[in-house]
Amino acid sequence: MTGATTLHVRSINHKTAPTAVRERAHLTEVRAAELMDALSAGSTGAGGGRGEPDCVSVIPVSTCNRTEIYLEVRVGADPDAILREALTAIGAEADLFFGEHALRLDNLDAIAHLFRLASGMESLMLGEPQITAQLKDAYRQARAHHEPGPGLLRAFQGAFRAGKRVRTETRISTGAVSVAFAAVELARKFFDRFSRHRAVLVGAGETGALAARHFLQHEIGQLTVVNRSFERAQALAATLREEQLRQLDEPDGDDTRRVDRALRARADRIVARPWEELGAAIAAADVVLTTTGATEPVIMPDMVHEAVRGRHGLPLFMLDIAVPRDVHPEVSKIGNVFVFGLEDLDEIVQGNLAARRNQIPHAERLIGEELDQFRQWLEDIDLRPTVAEFRAYLEDLKDKQVGFVRKKHSDEVADEVDKSLQQFIKKVLGRSMSTLRNSESREERQRHLETLRHLFSTDDRDPD
Amino acid sequence: MSTALTLITILLPLGYAAVWADYLWLFYTDHPWARRTCSRLAGSLVLLHMAAIVVRAVGLKRLPMGTQSEFLAALALALMGTYLVIERRLRAKQTGFLTTGAAALLMLLASLAGPGTANTSPLLQDPGFAGHAVLVLLAYTALSLSFLYAILYLVLARQLMRRQFGLLFRRLPALETLERMSVVAVEMGVPLLFLALALGHLWMYNLADRVDPKMAATLTPWDPKILLSWVIFLAYTAGLVGHRFWGWRGRRMNIMAVAAYIAVVVGMGAIHHFFPTFHKFPTLDAAVTADTLEQSLARHAAAGSPLETREWR
């Protein structure tokens, strides 16, 4: 690692620590802010005697599966000592971050980890997109609190870019990897516009409610809740209705589809019907979700025969996620009736996970490309001040020349000269940078830098 | 101009192959780049091909469907163009590899067929025939696509019934989408077929004055091919009405679409081979040797008879 700072991460995550440890390591928003304060007011041992703290910047990231602390410290400073001191100061369990459950990575390894994390490669559910939003939140909070150093700033920006590339150029985030989403994915193989279709939920238990929520989230046109206890059906319908109306006031996230607000607001979108009307409810539905606690099948062949009679061949999608089964085995033999169970959803999930795993090499390649860019940036850190000075010198000369031309000629001519000299400066700087980058050794590079400083130093500039 | 046309003739099959490869890549990998580029590439190719055909038509002063190669190329263009309209309407690209593959194959066959002998058939110089032929080509291309989507519907439905969650399950659009694609293709094909038949009738009466009396006597609306075309038109119209107003949906509807198309192909083939019809052209059918409308019109044109326009009777 070159430059005036070094980068580090100390992580406790689902791969290194059990849930109990992760819970102890979790940093609330308040705790994270305290940690940032403690680190910015920390020791100044390596500050070069300038009274600046050793810790240039910190970005804590704490989610349900991980607590990670990204640090940028001055060269020569001990990141572990700095972090331990700060964690102790805020009353956190400092030892957790240095024990057997901690992952400790430095410099490029730390950055590679961050890039992989932003790409969903480190997530419990490979490719899940939530981590990007969580990282962005942590980054925003850190910036609001204290401007991160150049290293962390660049690292996080690179991580977001890497994450975006991996998500858009690979299929690592496609396909349902949870049973609830698999249910929606499976139903989408029948009906592409949910808003035109109706669903019926048989049973008012928690599992059914969860499945129903997913279908409502994907804009199913109407949901009818049927339960042996009509009161429970009504209560669940009312709860789901309230949730939908509450969501009307919430802005949609980046990764959600546009919600048909008028559809959500419709009062009759979620209704309850008594158990006696189960057959009629099925007849009126395209999607049947059933999760009752019954010990015998409740959806019988004659009921379904009756239901499909008026459908003119339109498929009826039935999802039986009850144990034992709610749908009689004979029902699946009825034409245009498709009955699926939990094992089918699991098969879809496994298939999607396998497809995501196949994308790992491609994702790794993209992350490698982004890491190379970051590495290049790191290697050029020591060039920047001198090149910036050189640029300023050239810009200054250019402005003088353009001013001179402007006095003697028209503005148009002066503007053309300005443009032309801009191009000239760009080429000169580009050539200088590539010469410096391609130096055979660090010593030679330093010599070139010294020469450049000596030749174009601001102190030695010709006043004319 | 001829150099440009030669260059386009070489480039077009390669272009069709590239489009097919792009759609195939999309189907197998669902790669975002393929998703972004396939439609644009196909659209550009269609425009290029159309431009080439127009230039060629102007240069030759006839409809460029006079040789086997020209006809196959026109068929490829019709297939690609019709598919793109459906894809654009329903925003479903995952079935493109099939249609673009068929179009690429037709273009390859067109290239292998070679330029053929220069065709000076007066039919090809007749605007009435040109309009009729192009409309027929587009109409039957649309109906062919409807058949293809109906087949895909039945395949996916079968996969779902058997709980096979493989590549087809992951890549094909929803059953509802496939059905709509099939219906949209019919919605395109039916009016095109009607226009083709109407124009054909008008042109037939105009033509009667320009051929030998013996041949003119065969120009009748009761020609078996014309009659079958009207039956096809009515059958598909009934299907559309049933879908729209009587709720014909799902597997049954798609089986009907498949059966209808098979009936079209078998019926047309049977009429072509076993019934007398003036709808036989040596241009496109090497097996045709009898005295044909085309030959009669050529003789009449060579004799320098003045053109007349017969009123509709």
Side-chain angles (χ1 to χ4, degrees), chain A residues 168-169 171 186 188-193 197 312-315 336-340 344 347-348 352 362, chain B residues 29-32 153 157 160-161 163 165 169-172 174-177 180 246-251:
Chain A
T168 54
E169 293 177 39
R171 287 182 299 111
L186 187 52
R188 280 212 178 280
K189 280 293 150 195
F190 291 84
F191 313 108
D192 62 344
R193 297 186 194 173
H197 298 281
H312 302 288
L314 189 70
N336 295 314
V337 177
F338 298 80
V339 185
F340 298 96
D344 298 314
E347 195 180 327
I348 290 167
N352 287 340
H362 187 190
Chain B
T29 67
D30 196 24
H31 197 281
Y153 179 100
L160 288 164
M161 193 59 93
R163 293 173 168 74
F165 306 119
F169 167 80
R170 284 207 301 274
R171 294 283 186 274
L172 285 181
L175 290 175
E176 189 178 35
T177 307
R180 282 218 319 275
W246 303 325
W248 292 0
R249 293 282 187 281
R251 198 162 164 270

Side-chain angles (χ1 to χ4, degrees), chain A residues 195-222:
Chain A
S195 58
R196 294 178 165 196
H197 298 281
R198 296 168 173 186
V200 60
L201 171 64
V202 187
E206 201 49 54
T207 314
L210 179 69
R213 280 187 186 98
H214 278 291
F215 276 87
L216 287 166
Q217 194 184 329
H218 285 82
E219 298 163 42
I220 194 82
Q222 192 188 54

Side-chain angles (χ1 to χ4, degrees), chain A residues 263-388:
Chain A
L263 173 76
R264 282 204 167 170
R266 253 178 41 202
D268 65 342
R269 192 180 166 215
I270 304 163
V271 295
R273 288 176 84 164
W275 187 253
E276 297 72 38
E277 292 178 21
L278 175 60
I282 291 172
D286 303 304
V287 174
V288 178
L289 308 169
T290 176
T291 63
T292 73
T295 52
E296 295 290 321
V298 294
I299 297 174
M300 306 305 281
D302 54 345
M303 185 191 289
V304 179
H305 267 299
E306 191 64 36
V308 297
R309 194 163 292 159
R311 297 180 66 82
H312 302 288
L314 189 70
L316 176 65
F317 170 77
M318 299 183 98
L319 185 59
D320 184 354
I321 46 183
V323 181
R325 289 296 184 83
D326 279 342
V327 180
H328 193 282
E330 289 296 312
V331 169
S332 59
K333 293 176 185 169
I334 300 170
N336 295 314
V337 177
F338 298 80
V339 185
F340 298 96
L342 271 173
E343 66 280 6
D344 298 314
L345 298 183
D346 192 51
E347 195 180 327
I348 290 167
V349 166
Q350 293 312 317
N352 287 340
L353 278 171
R356 285 187 181 202
R357 279 193 290 270
N358 288 341
Q359 295 294 301
I360 289 175
H362 187 190
E364 295 279 18
R365 267 200 306 279
L366 295 175
I367 289 169
E369 284 172 21
E370 291 298 326
L371 267 176
D372 285 343
Q373 276 194 32
F374 186 80
R375 194 181 290 113
Q376 184 67 65
W377 178 83
L378 276 180
E379 284 170 1
D380 293 346
I381 270 184
D382 56 338
L383 306 181
R384 279 205 182 75
T386 308
V387 172

Side-chain angles (χ1 to χ4, degrees), chain A residues 397-427:
Chain A
L397 277 181
K398 182 206 72 172
D399 290 342
K400 279 179 184 168
Q401 288 302 314
V402 171
F404 184 69
V405 171
R406 209 176 288 279
K407 278 178 192 168
K408 294 202 161 198
H409 302 280
S410 67
D411 279 3
E412 287 79 12
V413 172
D415 289 342
E416 282 304 314
V417 171
D418 192 357
K419 267 188 213 165
S420 176
L421 287 174
Q422 280 283 18
Q423 289 297 318
F424 170 78
I425 290 170
K426 205 173 166 183
K427 281 177 181 163

